[in-house]
Amino acid sequence: MSKDEILKAIEEKYEKLGVPVDAMLEGLLWSTPITYWDYIQTDALLGLQTPRTNQPDEMVFIMYHQVNELLFKMILWEIDQVAKSIEISADKFSTHLMRISRYFYMLCSSFSVMADGMEREQYLKFRNTLTPASGFQSAQYRKIEFASTELINLIDVRYRDSIDRNSSFKNAYDHLYWQAAGVNHKTGKKSTLIKLFDKKYVGDFIDFMEDYNDCNLSKKFQQLPEDIQQNPALIKAMRHYDYTVNVKWVLAHYNAAGKYLGGEEKELEATGGSSWRKYLHPKYQRRIFYPYLWSKEELENWGTF
């Protein structure tokens, strides 16, 4: 664009906003150059680590999980590019799914930071200070699940026959697969882990579940014209995302946990008190976002191939 074309475009933009263009241009005279540290907010970001113990490797643990949360935010941002689109092509759908899968690849490979980057002795010292906090309580990860598939696929398999799209969102929430990990199965009472999680997020979660009920990635795919649903690249991207999140990512987490919590005469519980082997392994929980895109044999062997 020429200088005149740029100025005209600026005038048109601010006229639509009802803002005097002369005032905006004059403001540029007094503005200061943007810097990397101001744009990225480096000082604020680096000031967000607050260890609870004197064990040096706790800083690794904190920063690793903060990086995870930033990646989760990127994933939710990408999901919205599909979910909130009125019309979407197979190419655009596939593009965003593959971006999300790449973020999860980063998450999968990053587990070596924890598995090989902390001394087990230090971890076992600081882990109890974190009780009952747990990665289980990542609200963004729960939102990724809600935005990726229909709620029925996140319901504990024992209750799926009693819940359908006419059930209340609160009823569905109370029967989500991960609720079982927050219950003391001897007393039937919710653990402090899940009580605190519910207190903080249940209202936000139910609003989010309702918002994505008709535009989650699964629903969005099924709303596409039949010919687009049959697009090989899109199907491949859907399956790739499903497998990456619900098998590869979960197994990477499982294997990392095993290094620190397993191998004892009596295995340790996760910091939240859950039975981590049954909670984490995909063959037990069988979280599958798009079951209609997998064969009967693949579904039966989920988490083992």
Side-chain angles (χ1 to χ4, degrees):
M1 295 174 70
S2 67
K3 182 178 178 180
D4 288 340
E5 288 173 330
I6 292 172
L7 288 172
K8 183 178 181 182
I10 290 173
E11 287 179 349
E12 291 174 352
K13 173 182 177 178
Y14 286 104
E15 280 179 9
K16 289 179 181 177
L17 295 173
V19 178
V21 69
D22 289 348
M24 295 300 300
L25 290 172
E26 185 178 350
L28 293 175
L29 291 174
W30 322 120
S31 65
T32 57
I34 191 166
T35 61
Y36 172 82
W37 51 92
D38 284 336
Y39 183 62
I40 303 299
Q41 291 290 291
T42 309
D43 291 342
L45 191 62
L46 299 182
L48 294 176
Q49 294 77 45
T50 309
R52 302 289 296 271
T53 73
N54 60 4
Q55 300 300 302
D57 280 354
E58 188 189 352
M59 279 293 279
V60 177
F61 191 79
I62 292 171
M63 288 187 281
Y64 172 77
H65 284 85
Q66 289 179 338
V67 169
N68 281 1
E69 291 295 333
L70 288 172
L71 284 166
F72 290 159
K73 185 170 184 177
M74 292 172 74
I75 290 164
L76 286 167
W77 191 260
E78 295 294 341
I79 288 175
D80 266 5
Q81 308 309 301
V82 176
K84 301 301 183 179
S85 295
I86 297 174
E87 294 183 5
I88 189 165
S89 67
D91 285 346
K92 183 173 175 60
F93 205 136
S94 300
T95 294
H96 288 289
L97 283 173
M98 294 310 295
R99 286 186 187 179
I100 295 166
S101 292
R102 283 194 292 274
Y103 298 148
F104 267 106
Y105 264 129
M106 291 176 65
L107 289 163
C108 292
S109 62
S110 72
F111 270 112
S112 62
V113 172
M114 276 209 307
D116 302 320
M118 297 189 302
E119 292 181 10
R120 188 170 189 269
E121 293 75 14
Q122 287 192 44
Y123 173 76
L124 294 179
K125 287 177 181 177
F126 73 70
R127 71 183 294 274
N128 287 330
T129 308
L130 310 181
T131 304
S134 168
F136 174 102
Q137 295 171 314
S138 171
Q140 288 199 111
Y141 184 70
R142 301 304 168 198
K143 288 182 176 181
I144 288 170
E145 293 182 317
F146 294 145
S148 295
T149 189
E150 295 188 71
L151 274 176
I152 194 64
N153 296 322
L154 301 176
I155 300 297
D156 188 314
V157 292
R158 296 170 294 177
Y159 306 113
R160 288 186 185 177
D161 290 341
S162 63
I163 291 178
D164 58 28
R165 289 183 68 83
N166 294 318
S167 301
S168 70
F169 290 105
K170 180 60 167 63
N171 187 40
Y173 176 84
D174 288 337
H175 293 90
L176 291 167
Y177 78 88
W178 45 264
Q179 288 282 352
V183 173
N184 183 320
H185 295 287
K186 294 179 181 178
T187 65
K189 294 182 178 179
K190 288 188 174 185
S191 65
T192 301
L193 164 84
I194 198 72
K195 286 180 181 177
L196 292 172
F197 196 42
D198 284 350
K199 183 178 180 181
K200 173 71 173 175
Y201 290 113
V202 64
D204 186 24
F205 281 158
I206 289 175
D207 287 344
F208 194 90
M209 290 158 66
E210 186 172 4
D211 188 27
Y212 283 82
N213 192 44
D214 291 316
C215 69
N216 60 73
L217 296 183
S218 179
K219 201 71 176 173
K220 204 74 178 179
F221 175 81
Q222 293 175 312
Q223 291 169 351
L224 294 170
E226 187 67 26
D227 60 322
I228 297 181
Q229 287 188 42
Q230 298 303 318
N231 182 283
L234 178 54
I235 292 174
K236 182 178 179 181
M238 294 281 285
R239 283 168 53 93
H240 187 271
Y241 173 50
D242 201 353
Y243 186 81
T244 301
V245 178
N246 292 315
V247 177
K248 294 193 70 173
W249 150 257
V250 176
L251 283 176
H253 194 175
Y254 177 89
N255 292 331
K259 179 167 183 177
Y260 292 98
L261 303 179
E264 303 264 336
E265 289 185 11
K266 181 181 179 182
E267 286 194 334
L268 299 171
E269 290 183 336
T271 50
S274 63
S275 175
W276 62 273
R277 285 202 183 275
K278 286 192 173 181
Y279 171 67
L280 284 176
H281 204 291
K283 73 179 181 181
Y284 292 117
Q285 290 298 342
R286 297 179 57 77
R287 294 188 289 281
I288 307 171
F289 289 161
Y290 316 116
Y292 47 82
L293 294 180
W294 300 94
S295 69
K296 181 180 178 182
E297 182 180 0
E298 288 170 327
L299 293 172
E300 289 174 350
N301 293 290
W302 191 257
T304 61
F305 66 92

